[in-house]
Amino acid sequence: MPLQLKKELNEKQYQAAVQLEGPLLVIAGAGSGKTRMITFRIAYMLEMGIHQSNILALTFTNKAALEMSERVKEITGQKLSNLTVSTFHAFGVKVLRKTIDKLGYKDTFSIYDQTDKISAIKNAAREMGIHPESLDTFELANLFSGIKMGRIKWNDGNRQFKELYNSYMEHLFLYNAVDFDDLINLPIKIFKEFPDILKAYQQQFKYIMVDEFQDTSSRQYEFIKMLGTRYRNLCVVGDDDQSIYSWRGANYQNIVNFELDFPELVEIKLEQNYRSTKNILAAANKLISHNKNRKEKELWTGVEHGRSIEIFYPENETREAEFITEMIQTLTLKEGVKYHDFGILVRTNSLSAMIENALLSDNIPYKVSGGKSFFQRKEIKDIVAYMRILENPDDDVNLLRILNTPRRGIGNATLKKIRELADRQDYSLYSAMVALKWAADSPVTQKAKASIDDFIDLIEYFREKIAEGQQLVPAIKNLIERIDYWGYLLLEHQKNDKVAKWKYKNVGIFMDIFERWEKNPDNKGKGLINFLNKITLITRDEESDDEKGKLNLMTIHASKGLEFEIVFLAGVENNIIPHARSIEENPDNIEEERRLFYVAITRAKKKLFMTSCRTRKIGHEIVDTGPSPFLEEIPKELIEFHVPETSVDQEEAEDYFARIKSSFK
């Protein structure tokens, strides 16, 4: 195995892979092959006679854990059924299944997700005689998580919720349930209160590895420190320059804590990058060097210099989206780049709407990672459901979606009678409602019948408007006003009108997209059904398991750990990156915002495009924007300004068509 390791790994990776005894800190730069090193390190442990049951490898996603496990099995050719490669939370579950009875729980405990957690908080409030409607339960859920995980302490500003917190914890215990924070917290509690249990786990897991160490929270670090402090064979792998999750509790200072708690550690830096060109790395290195709180490192590569980073200053977000799709079409035709080799990265999900619209218009298949597609957000699906019912009122699925959105007095008892009639007569739900509207002996109450009448009148009125061949956009806007969707959002988010405003803003963006589509002269079929079919194709593709052939659209946060041949980084503007709200909360967040920009740059393998709009529509206003100050930190010689290409000559055009033809074979 040692000889094979030297062939498979570079010098620094090899040193990290064979350093098995004692604490080890591996600073692994972007694209430096850390997963490869970790998997060969585990394989080397097994080769050296360490039993698989004595090895624990922890990471942050199920996908990463599965990939790591499969790679080790492939290298060793063994089944390795007793090797533990797991996420932190999944490992916490294993510990609790065996030991939670010590705290008075049964081992059949339930795990509450965020929805269950909010429901439990509401129930706890009712037990105390508090109306849940008077509380911002989402914020309370975050507060309770912060308290539990040590990120927040009780103070004069939040102490009034302490009794409710205790009531919530009592509810969990009585219902034999735990939340996600408990999957880390309760094992720590058990280890502290029952030293023999801790000793048993220490004896079992004599060799521990932690991937993405910079993303660990204070509690997660406490958890692994307790496990590893006895034998001290604890290897942590991370990169402080890629620490971008402080908002969810990650503490990159854990690297410093590790150095203090394990002073005898060996430190190895992986600085050879296997991903990006020299130009991209030079830009990333220069940018991140402006951060003061970091470990010094300089990524290098044996790859050629590559092409310059291109920056384009479009007039607005519409032109930005058009530029991105035009470049994608050009590169697929000219250079044969596949759609799945492109990554479009944005700082926030709100920037993706216009880009999605452009991809939709140009028939470019795409998937949205790390968040919902714009067209899959609830508020958009609500409006689309109304549009579908105007086109086809016999669509039961979409009818049920809008029947009480907003609430209109058609309760469960009435819906049951509608269903019974529909089943008995083999009607659609809408046809059953029409029958009840005109029935002399209607089985529903007069109040319910009036509500049914109003709903049918609403649908029929707007169906007529559309059938008359009027412009579609004004009709749908009128519908949104008629149902008072804004009032509905305010009622749904009584304690957080910011959420209501954000959702209603999305509805406005959707209508802008719809209007551009309706006005586009290239759209031959202008009927409502044609627009809806476009959306259907997008959402159907998103649900497909086969992701090959699709372009990747995602937030920068979601892109961490991924790589693409060509990256488009959109919205490189002041107040977007660095994000205005993040800096307002704490000026020190500028370093994390820079790390985020660094992560975005280092996703690109061969080519990086950046766009920075001159103006951007924010709400109902068009505001002047300025380039991100981070652009000033990239050496000018690495950047060139994009100049739109002229039309192609005859020979190039024939070559393009030849490429298109070959793609259909």
Side-chain angles (χ1 to χ4, degrees):
M1 180 62 76
L3 289 175
Q4 186 181 345
L5 277 186
K6 285 204 168 183
K7 289 180 181 177
E8 297 286 349
L9 304 175
N10 67 35
E11 182 184 348
K12 292 294 184 180
Q13 289 173 335
Y14 174 79
Q15 289 175 16
V18 300
Q19 179 71 39
L20 303 185
E21 303 299 323
L24 174 65
L25 171 61
V26 181
I27 302 297
S32 61
K34 66 178 177 61
T35 303
R36 182 177 180 80
M37 181 278 293
I38 291 171
T39 51
F40 272 100
R41 189 173 194 270
I42 295 172
Y44 181 64
M45 285 181 178
L46 298 169
E47 182 78 7
M48 296 302 291
I50 296 171
H51 196 272
Q52 57 181 286
S53 64
N54 295 138
I55 301 170
L56 171 64
L58 295 172
T59 187
F60 278 85
T61 66
N62 290 317
K63 182 179 178 182
L66 180 63
E67 181 185 353
M68 203 179 292
S69 180
E70 291 300 319
R71 282 201 198 179
V72 176
K73 290 175 185 176
E74 188 179 331
I75 293 168
T76 62
Q78 300 175 37
K79 291 185 178 179
L80 303 176
S81 55
N82 291 316
L83 176 68
T84 304
V85 181
S86 170
T87 65
F88 274 89
H89 290 95
F91 181 67
V93 172
K94 287 182 180 179
V95 173
L96 292 180
R97 290 291 180 208
K98 291 182 178 179
T99 63
I100 199 169
D101 61 303
K102 299 291 185 183
L103 300 178
Y105 289 80
K106 295 177 182 176
D107 60 8
T108 55
F109 60 86
S110 302
I111 302 171
Y112 278 7
D113 62 16
Q114 187 73 356
T115 303
D116 297 328
K117 182 176 181 177
I118 288 174
S119 178
I121 291 172
K122 288 180 178 178
N123 287 335
R126 291 188 187 99
E127 288 292 321
M128 294 173 61
I130 301 171
H131 290 293
E133 293 75 16
S134 68
L135 302 170
D136 187 337
T137 49
F138 179 80
E139 286 299 322
L140 280 174
N142 288 337
L143 170 65
F144 292 177
S145 178
I147 293 292
K148 194 175 284 194
M149 300 305 285
R151 297 194 305 272
I152 301 173
K153 296 189 183 300
W154 292 115
N155 55 47
D156 292 340
N158 59 35
R159 194 169 284 112
Q160 70 268 31
F161 300 114
K162 190 170 185 178
E163 189 178 350
L164 179 57
Y165 173 80
N166 292 334
S167 180
Y168 164 70
M169 294 300 293
E170 184 181 7
H171 174 98
L172 290 178
F173 183 75
L174 291 173
Y175 281 78
N176 197 44
V178 299
D179 60 25
F180 271 89
D181 296 324
D182 289 327
L183 301 181
I184 305 299
N185 255 14
L186 292 183
I188 291 173
K189 182 179 174 66
I190 291 167
F191 289 165
K192 286 180 177 178
E193 294 182 7
F194 302 93
D196 288 349
I197 293 176
L198 172 59
K199 185 178 179 181
Y201 276 96
Q202 290 172 334
Q203 291 275 40
Q204 179 180 350
F205 296 112
K206 295 175 181 175
Y207 295 86
I208 301 172
M209 276 171 289
V210 182
D211 190 17
E212 303 289 6
F213 184 62
Q214 76 282 344
D215 294 336
T216 54
S217 67
S218 298
R219 285 284 194 271
Q220 286 167 330
Y221 177 63
E222 184 180 0
F223 189 24
I224 57 177
K225 187 175 86 168
M226 293 177 83
L227 287 169
T229 195
R230 185 178 184 85
Y231 288 95
R232 306 183 78 76
N233 300 321
L234 179 56
C235 168
V236 299
V237 184
D239 181 10
D240 53 335
D241 287 339
Q242 296 186 73
S243 179
I244 59 174
Y245 293 115
S246 65
W247 49 275
R248 69 181 190 195
N251 181 10
Y252 79 100
Q253 287 294 326
N254 282 342
I255 292 176
V256 175
N257 296 333
F258 183 68
E259 291 173 319
L260 293 173
D261 293 327
F262 297 86
E264 75 275 28
L265 65 79
V266 173
E267 180 181 311
I268 297 172
K269 291 180 182 177
L270 305 184
E271 296 172 291
Q272 183 175 357
N273 177 284
Y274 291 91
R275 177 186 298 154
S276 306
T277 63
K278 285 180 181 174
N279 280 343
I280 290 170
L281 281 189
N285 282 332
K286 191 64 178 176
L287 171 85
I288 204 64
S289 69
H290 287 79
N291 274 6
K292 296 181 176 63
N293 300 310
R294 64 183 292 265
K295 280 187 167 289
E296 288 296 326
K297 70 182 79 66
E298 186 85 10
L299 296 184
W300 62 277
T301 181
V303 179
E304 71 279 1
H305 282 278
R307 291 176 283 184
S308 298
I309 296 168
E310 283 189 52
I311 185 163
F312 180 57
Y313 292 100
E315 181 57 36
N316 53 39
E317 65 270 26
T318 302
R319 181 66 192 112
E320 174 182 56
E322 289 170 351
F323 162 75
I324 290 171
T325 55
E326 286 165 6
M327 287 305 304
I328 289 166
Q329 299 286 40
T330 299
L331 291 165
T332 54
L333 289 171
K334 270 192 168 183
E335 301 182 19
V337 184
K338 305 298 182 186
Y339 284 134
H340 61 256
D341 288 326
F342 291 100
I344 304 176
L345 311 185
V346 292
R347 173 63 178 86
T348 63
N349 276 316
S350 61
L351 297 177
S352 68
M354 285 302 161
I355 297 171
E356 282 199 63
N357 181 49
L359 295 169
L360 185 68
S361 297
D362 286 358
N363 294 312
I364 296 175
Y366 71 94
K367 63 173 180 171
V368 178
S369 305
K372 289 181 180 177
S373 160
F374 178 77
F375 297 103
Q376 288 290 71
R377 294 171 186 173
K378 181 188 181 300
E379 60 273 19
I380 306 305
K381 290 176 78 174
D382 286 346
I383 304 306
V384 168
Y386 271 100
M387 294 166 75
R388 292 194 187 283
I389 291 301
L390 296 183
E391 192 63 41
N392 174 21
D394 295 324
D395 182 340
D396 285 355
V397 172
N398 282 293
L399 183 86
L400 288 170
R401 182 177 191 93
I402 67 171
L403 195 56
N404 279 304
T405 306
R407 300 188 187 282
R408 47 174 57 93
I410 302 175
N412 289 342
T414 304
L415 182 57
K416 184 179 179 183
K417 289 182 170 62
I418 295 169
R419 278 188 176 280
E420 287 172 351
L421 178 60
D423 291 342
R424 192 164 61 247
Q425 299 293 340
D426 197 22
Y427 287 165
S428 68
L429 293 177
Y430 188 79
S431 296
M433 290 172 72
V434 172
L436 289 172
K437 169 184 168 75
W438 297 109
D441 56 344
S442 178
V444 300
T445 65
Q446 282 300 114
K447 184 179 177 182
K449 187 177 180 183
S451 296
I452 291 172
D453 288 352
D454 289 344
F455 178 74
I456 292 171
D457 289 346
L458 174 81
I459 298 301
E460 292 303 322
Y461 173 80
F462 283 99
R463 290 193 76 206
E464 286 177 18
K465 286 285 183 188
I466 288 170
E468 289 169 1
Q470 296 184 10
Q471 283 190 318
L472 298 173
V473 172
I476 302 303
K477 283 184 176 179
N478 190 1
L479 170 65
I480 292 167
E481 290 174 9
R482 182 76 69 87
I483 64 175
D484 190 18
Y485 193 75
W486 167 239
Y488 163 74
L489 290 174
L490 283 175
L491 279 173
E492 288 292 297
H493 305 280
Q494 291 180 38
K495 291 296 172 183
N496 195 345
D497 64 348
K498 286 183 180 178
V499 174
K501 287 176 182 175
W502 181 75
K503 287 179 174 289
Y504 200 63
K505 177 187 171 186
N506 286 338
V507 172
I509 292 172
F510 174 72
M511 293 310 298
D512 287 345
I513 289 171
F514 186 24
E515 188 168 11
R516 285 190 179 91
W517 177 87
E518 189 175 17
K519 289 180 178 178
N520 187 344
D522 294 332
N523 290 327
K524 294 178 181 177
K526 292 292 183 68
L528 189 58
I529 189 64
N530 292 292
F531 181 69
L532 294 172
N533 285 343
K534 278 276 188 183
I535 295 173
T536 299
L537 287 172
I538 290 296
T539 52
R540 184 191 66 187
D541 286 346
E542 284 169 0
E543 291 164 3
S544 168
D545 289 333
D546 181 15
E547 301 297 356
K548 277 288 183 184
K550 293 179 187 173
L551 180 142
N552 304 273
L553 172 60
M554 63 187 67
T555 62
I556 301 172
H557 281 99
S559 74
K560 188 168 168 295
L562 303 177
E563 59 184 38
F564 306 101
E565 296 290 318
I566 297 172
V567 166
F568 290 88
L569 181 52
V572 185
E573 297 151 30
N574 194 25
N575 295 328
I576 292 179
I577 185 160
H579 199 277
R581 194 185 321 129
S582 177
I583 304 304
E584 282 170 15
E585 288 172 0
N586 184 354
D588 291 342
N589 286 341
I590 188 71
E591 293 218 343
E592 178 154 339
E593 289 291 309
R594 188 178 283 110
R595 291 195 293 269
L596 193 59
F597 196 48
Y598 172 83
V599 165
I601 290 173
T602 54
R603 298 312 94 196
K605 295 171 74 174
K606 293 182 178 177
K607 180 69 179 176
L608 174 63
F609 293 91
M610 294 190 280
T611 56
S612 178
C613 293
R614 300 176 191 274
T615 64
R616 187 174 290 275
K617 189 175 181 182
I618 299 176
H620 295 293
E621 294 183 35
I622 295 175
V623 299
D624 291 331
T625 55
S628 167
F630 291 151
L631 291 175
E632 292 294 319
E633 299 174 359
I634 298 176
K636 294 292 183 286
E637 63 270 18
L638 301 176
I639 293 178
E640 67 179 43
F641 297 101
H642 177 82
V643 179
E645 291 188 10
T646 55
S647 57
V648 298
D649 59 29
Q650 182 66 28
E651 188 178 341
E652 283 183 299
E654 288 174 0
D655 183 54
Y656 294 168
F657 286 116
R659 284 182 181 275
I660 293 172
K661 255 180 120 178
S662 66
S663 69
F664 285 102
K665 289 180 181 177

